[in-house]
Amino acid sequence: MTFTEWFIFFLLLQVVHFLGTWKLYQRAGRKAWEAAIPVYNAIVLMQIINRPKWWVILMFIPIVNLIIIPVIWVETIRSFGRNSTAETIAVILTLGLYIYYVNYATSDAYIVDRDLKPRSEAGEWISSILFAVIAATIVHTYFMQPFTIPTSSLEKTLLVGDFLFVSKFHYGARVPQTAVAFPMVHDTIPFLGVKSYLNKPQIPYLRLPGFENIERNDIVVFNWPVDTVRKFFDRSGKHYEKPVDKKSNYVKRAVGMPGDSLSVVDGYVHINGKQLELPDRAKPQFSYIGQTKGQPFNPQSLYKLYDITDGYSYNPNNNAFFIQSLSDESFERFKNHPNVASIRRYVDSVGVKNPGVFPNDGKRNWNNDQFGPIYIPKEGVTVDITPQSMPFYKEIIETYEGYEMGVDNVLSVNGTQVLLNGRPIDSYTFKQNYYWLMGDNRNNSEDSRVWGYVPENHVVGKPVFIWMSWDSNASGFDKIRWDRVFTTVKGDGEPTSLLPYFLIIVVIFFGWKYFKKRREEA
């Protein structure tokens, strides 16, 4: 739905509200016309049901309004003496239309000073839970979201088992595009394993103002642009059923910014012809091959002594080994292992074709280590569209700036001419910014080299804080990585845990509370 369609829908709701409540407004000592004025009628209704005016704001917050509006329906009929469980269920199941019955078929007097305290302990619990869910939903949607690192694509920068807080407000929180969804879950309801949302209606893309833009080398959480999770896959093969904000969450490093020319040379990223400099805390990893002096390695020893977590393979016929991921620091130590006869970094050669890399047409001799150069699209910039350049921008034009924005774009080629919806085009102007995101674990990361650009409207937020880190590679049992608990994601030098300072503050706070209470009782 477009903003115009939503506005028309909003006006229709005002008509429905007026027709179903104008008599109730009169019984409460208000004027009938007050039920017809958008927003003002909601403020008056809060006075009628004896609830704070700020509830009106909750009615306009997507997802939160799905919780608060049914509460307002119940509060409305209870303001006129309709307190039975059956009527409470009826007004919810009829999506508020039971209020029409109370409005036209009853003459119950308005209860002026209605007791707002729940009449049972269960009611009090339900009330508390509802508003706890509302508060948590607002925080989760617009401020801070918990996130777990599930894969090793950013090892050793972010580790599998790191539990993060992802800031929504740094880059500006997105207003949920999916209007009807289960609160505080992503695409699936836990335990039930069913879809947590309805595909329609959709709210047009809108991002609240942030206080910073994405900077080069920022670690970014985003919705995976080409999400093809089988369960929600559109079998037509053209578009995906999952809305943008319900696509799977990924986390990578933003190495290419809008307007950049990017290439990968021997596994190293180059921006505008110069090798990318990574921040202090970035610990890129690469694959290595070599030969032992006759004995295999012990995997647990490799983990404990050299922090090798992605495993290794060994061929006893020729004593050759392959290590999937090894940081520069670990390599400097591992190359001196008494069982290592030789070791070198594995790099795909120039000219070796990997048809699985972007733009996935198999026409370029590119691979993960030798790639590009390519242009990173920037909002407002116009590029030439030819049969040769079309594969780079086809997904952008058809899907990211077509289907996902409500336009049915189709690109095709007729001889040497590119057609957009059947009409010849030779250029295209981008409607939003795009980013190139890669993992620090360069030979064990599915990233933009595979599926291409990340649109700005897919950006979720910025990881800022590790509140827990769980190591599942520990010998014999899992353990907490205490040195990573309460550390920041960004910064210079090695991360320092703030947990001791937090514990000191907690002890001081509760000690102060204890002695304050003792003093008051004395």
Side-chain angles (χ1 to χ4, degrees):
M1 292 176 66
T2 65
F3 281 115
T4 300
E5 291 170 334
W6 274 108
F7 182 69
I8 294 171
F9 177 68
F10 172 73
L11 293 180
L12 288 175
L13 286 182
Q14 302 309 304
V15 174
V16 171
H17 176 78
F18 172 74
L19 294 177
T21 61
W22 66 273
K23 284 191 173 183
L24 298 183
Y25 276 65
Q26 286 183 322
R27 286 190 225 171
R30 309 295 302 204
K31 302 295 184 181
W33 62 264
E34 292 182 293
I37 308 301
V39 182
Y40 175 72
N41 55 11
I43 295 173
V44 173
L45 183 60
M46 294 307 107
Q47 294 174 327
I48 292 173
I49 67 176
N50 200 22
R51 292 299 184 177
K53 294 178 182 178
W54 56 262
W55 275 30
V56 174
I57 298 174
L58 301 181
M59 296 172 65
F60 291 93
I61 300 177
I63 308 303
V64 171
N65 54 14
L66 300 178
I67 303 171
I68 197 65
I69 289 176
V71 172
I72 292 172
W73 294 337
V74 173
E75 293 290 286
T76 299
I77 63 172
R78 287 183 177 179
S79 295
F80 296 89
R82 300 285 166 166
N83 296 304
S84 69
T85 302
E87 289 183 294
T88 298
I89 294 173
V91 76
I92 293 174
L93 293 182
T94 61
L95 301 181
L97 294 179
Y98 183 74
I99 295 175
Y100 272 69
Y101 169 78
V102 179
N103 186 62
Y104 290 107
T106 71
S107 57
D108 300 299
Y110 170 63
I111 303 172
V112 178
D113 294 319
R114 181 170 63 94
D115 186 6
L116 300 180
K117 186 177 181 180
R119 299 189 175 190
S120 66
E121 186 175 344
E124 191 167 342
W125 272 98
I126 292 172
S127 177
S128 299
I129 291 172
L130 280 175
F131 280 93
V133 170
I134 287 173
T137 300
I138 292 174
V139 172
H140 183 276
T141 304
Y142 296 98
F143 295 96
M144 201 74 68
Q145 176 182 337
F147 184 83
T148 306
I149 299 295
T151 67
S152 63
S153 67
L154 277 170
E155 296 261 347
K156 298 300 179 188
T157 309
L158 292 179
L159 310 183
V160 173
D162 279 351
F163 293 82
L164 310 174
F165 282 134
V166 176
S167 166
K168 300 287 188 72
F169 56 85
H170 273 73
Y171 304 139
R174 291 181 306 184
V175 173
Q177 292 170 263
T178 305
V180 181
F182 200 83
M184 290 190 303
V185 300
H186 192 51
D187 57 353
T188 307
I189 298 177
F191 307 112
L192 298 181
V194 297
K195 194 167 70 171
S196 65
Y197 59 92
L198 298 181
N199 285 68
K200 295 182 179 180
Q202 285 284 300
I203 300 171
Y205 171 68
L206 177 65
R207 188 179 293 275
L208 301 178
F211 63 84
E212 67 177 51
N213 297 318
I214 296 176
E215 297 178 357
R216 193 183 315 282
N217 286 325
D218 276 359
I219 295 176
V220 178
V221 173
F222 59 98
N223 297 118
W224 185 29
V226 294
D227 193 345
T228 56
V229 174
R230 184 178 300 275
K231 196 168 188 177
F232 308 129
F233 179 64
D234 180 351
R235 295 182 183 276
S236 70
K238 179 181 177 184
H239 301 307
Y240 305 118
E241 288 289 341
K242 299 178 80 172
V244 172
D245 57 336
K246 293 302 177 183
K247 292 181 178 181
S248 300
N249 286 328
Y250 270 36
V251 58
K252 309 287 180 185
R253 187 182 298 280
V255 296
M257 306 300 289
D260 281 345
S261 173
L262 178 143
S263 58
V264 179
V265 180
D266 293 337
Y268 294 102
V269 175
H270 286 65
I271 302 296
N272 303 322
K274 296 182 179 180
Q275 184 172 326
L276 174 68
E277 293 186 13
L278 293 171
D280 290 343
R281 292 193 184 180
K283 297 180 179 179
Q285 294 192 110
F286 299 94
S287 295
Y288 286 82
I289 56 176
Q291 284 190 306
T292 71
K293 294 180 179 179
Q295 297 295 324
F297 297 108
N298 180 286
Q300 278 298 326
S301 295
L302 292 181
Y303 165 69
K304 289 182 178 179
L305 298 176
Y306 304 102
D307 200 21
I308 297 175
T309 51
D310 281 7
Y312 91 107
S313 60
Y314 177 73
N315 186 345
N317 296 324
N318 58 5
N319 299 325
F321 66 86
F322 175 79
I323 294 179
Q324 179 69 59
S325 304
L326 193 64
S327 67
D328 291 344
E329 178 186 347
S330 295
F331 166 72
E332 290 300 323
R333 292 186 287 112
F334 182 69
K335 69 181 182 180
N336 297 317
H337 190 288
N339 191 37
V340 172
S342 65
I343 185 172
R344 65 179 176 85
R345 190 162 75 85
Y346 176 82
V347 181
D348 271 337
S349 301
V350 174
V352 174
K353 180 186 293 187
N354 179 353
V357 301
F358 183 77
N360 315 108
D361 60 356
K363 294 183 179 180
R364 272 151 280 272
N365 295 327
W366 292 356
N367 53 65
N368 279 339
D369 294 322
Q370 317 290 344
F371 183 91
I374 63 169
Y375 173 72
I376 313 297
K378 183 176 183 179
E379 181 181 5
V381 171
T382 300
V383 296
D384 293 335
I385 300 295
T386 66
Q388 292 72 37
S389 67
M390 189 186 79
F392 292 94
Y393 308 122
K394 181 178 175 65
E395 197 76 18
I396 289 177
I397 297 171
E398 287 192 337
T399 303
Y400 305 150
E401 298 189 0
Y403 176 72
E404 290 175 355
M405 294 187 177
V407 180
D408 190 18
N409 281 340
V410 177
L411 271 184
S412 58
V413 176
N414 183 12
T416 59
Q417 181 67 61
V418 178
L419 307 178
L420 175 59
N421 302 328
R423 297 180 179 180
I425 63 166
D426 55 16
S427 64
Y428 183 80
T429 303
F430 300 110
K431 297 180 176 64
Q432 61 177 323
N433 286 322
Y434 291 82
Y435 300 88
W436 193 265
L437 292 113
M438 291 174 56
D440 290 350
N441 197 350
R442 292 294 162 77
N443 295 102
N444 194 19
S445 172
E446 182 181 318
D447 50 38
S448 283
R449 290 171 294 179
V450 177
W451 30 258
Y453 311 111
V454 175
E456 189 168 38
N457 67 346
H458 283 57
V459 172
V460 174
K462 179 177 183 176
V464 292
F465 193 70
I466 301 172
W467 62 272
M468 174 60 74
S469 186
W470 195 257
D471 185 0
S472 296
N473 287 302
S475 178
F477 57 90
D478 295 350
K479 67 176 182 179
I480 296 174
R481 302 185 185 100
W482 290 106
D483 60 326
R484 295 185 65 81
V485 175
F486 276 55
T487 58
T488 58
V489 172
K490 189 174 182 179
D492 297 325
E494 291 296 320
T496 301
S497 175
L498 302 176
L499 181 60
Y501 305 101
F502 172 76
L503 294 177
I504 290 172
I505 292 172
V506 169
V507 170
I508 292 173
F509 174 76
F510 282 102
W512 173 77
K513 291 271 290 185
Y514 173 78
F515 286 110
K516 181 183 178 184
K517 183 178 179 181
R518 289 287 301 270
R519 189 168 60 251
E520 290 174 349
E521 292 175 349

